[in-house]
Amino acid sequence: MTYDPTGHLLLTPVDREAPVRVQRLRQLGMGEHPDPAFDEFAHKLAEVTAAPYSMVNFIDENQQFFAGLHTPEGAHAGTDLNAVAASGGVSRFMARDHGYCPHVVVRRKALVLEDVCDYPRFAGNPVVDEIGIRSYLGAPLIDRTGIALGTICVVDTEPRPWGRAGLETIKSMAAELIEQIHRREDGGF
């Protein structure tokens, strides 16, 4: 377990790869601006999983950026998480210590949380109380250089029995998006 200098348990894992990831994302021209292709992919991911929210998420040292975002309302223009959460909308930006994607990136493995409240480490995450997230399914986006660029994920405000089928789906969708990113890098996207 990791503790901050005051001795408090850090619930968000230490991410030593973040500087290299940021450099790679900049090289690819990703991670700073919404991308219609990633929004389209997030929409497809939501349809395939029947989830109300889905994201293509890139993570730097301080925050997460949803380059692709699908919400039930289609609202995703906000930039201040607290203001957006208070208004019922969803932001493209979220603090690194909010949510579960930073765990997926550091672990480099998919994560299935059918009910986040069943896991003390995850139940205390700010997204549970601030946004009402109850279930999560995410997979890392590991590119050809071996860097975990970010994640794709789906979330719901209700517990969801994702099961093995959900895990296989999110992993295959992550592989599909990585192929698209590689084609983009090679000039064919």
Side-chain angles (χ1 to χ4, degrees), residues 146-167:
I147 296 172
L149 301 174
T151 67
I152 60 168
C153 69
V154 293
V155 297
D156 201 336
T157 56
E158 301 293 329
R160 291 282 300 268
W162 303 110
R164 167 88 36 212
L167 177 63

Side-chain angles (χ1 to χ4, degrees), residues 23-173:
Q23 182 179 10
R24 178 71 173 140
L25 287 169
R26 299 306 171 260
Q27 177 186 10
L28 293 168
M30 298 185 310
E32 295 181 300
H33 306 287
D35 187 311
F38 293 150
D39 281 340
E40 184 177 316
F41 188 89
H43 179 71
K44 176 181 174 182
L45 181 59
E47 284 184 339
V48 167
T49 61
Y53 300 92
S54 62
M55 298 91 170
V56 174
N57 187 9
F58 299 116
I59 303 170
D60 67 22
E61 295 97 332
N62 303 309
Q63 68 182 3
Q64 304 175 66
F65 176 69
F66 304 127
L69 179 61
H70 171 85
T71 68
E73 315 80 33
H76 46 67
T79 57
D80 176 4
L81 178 65
N82 294 328
V84 172
S87 70
V90 177
S91 172
R92 290 239 185 215
F93 295 92
M94 188 161 50
R96 191 179 166 280
D97 63 348
H98 284 57
Y100 311 107
C101 289
H103 295 273
V104 172
V105 167
V106 171
R107 290 168 24 121
R108 302 172 64 84
K109 295 186 335 189
L111 179 62
V112 179
L113 300 172
E114 293 183 345
D115 186 342
V116 299
C117 294
D118 290 342
Y119 303 89
R121 178 179 190 140
F122 298 117
N125 194 283
V127 298
V128 175
D129 291 332
E130 291 177 17
I131 303 173
I133 301 301
R134 285 296 300 274
S135 61
Y136 172 90
L137 178 64
L141 295 170
I142 300 174
D143 81 343
R144 62 175 64 141
T145 68
I147 296 172
L149 301 174
T151 67
I152 60 168
C153 69
V154 293
V155 297
D156 201 336
T157 56
E158 301 293 329
R160 291 282 300 268
W162 303 110
R164 167 88 36 212
L167 177 63
E168 294 306 318
T169 297
I170 200 77
K171 288 166 58 174
S172 69
M173 295 290 290

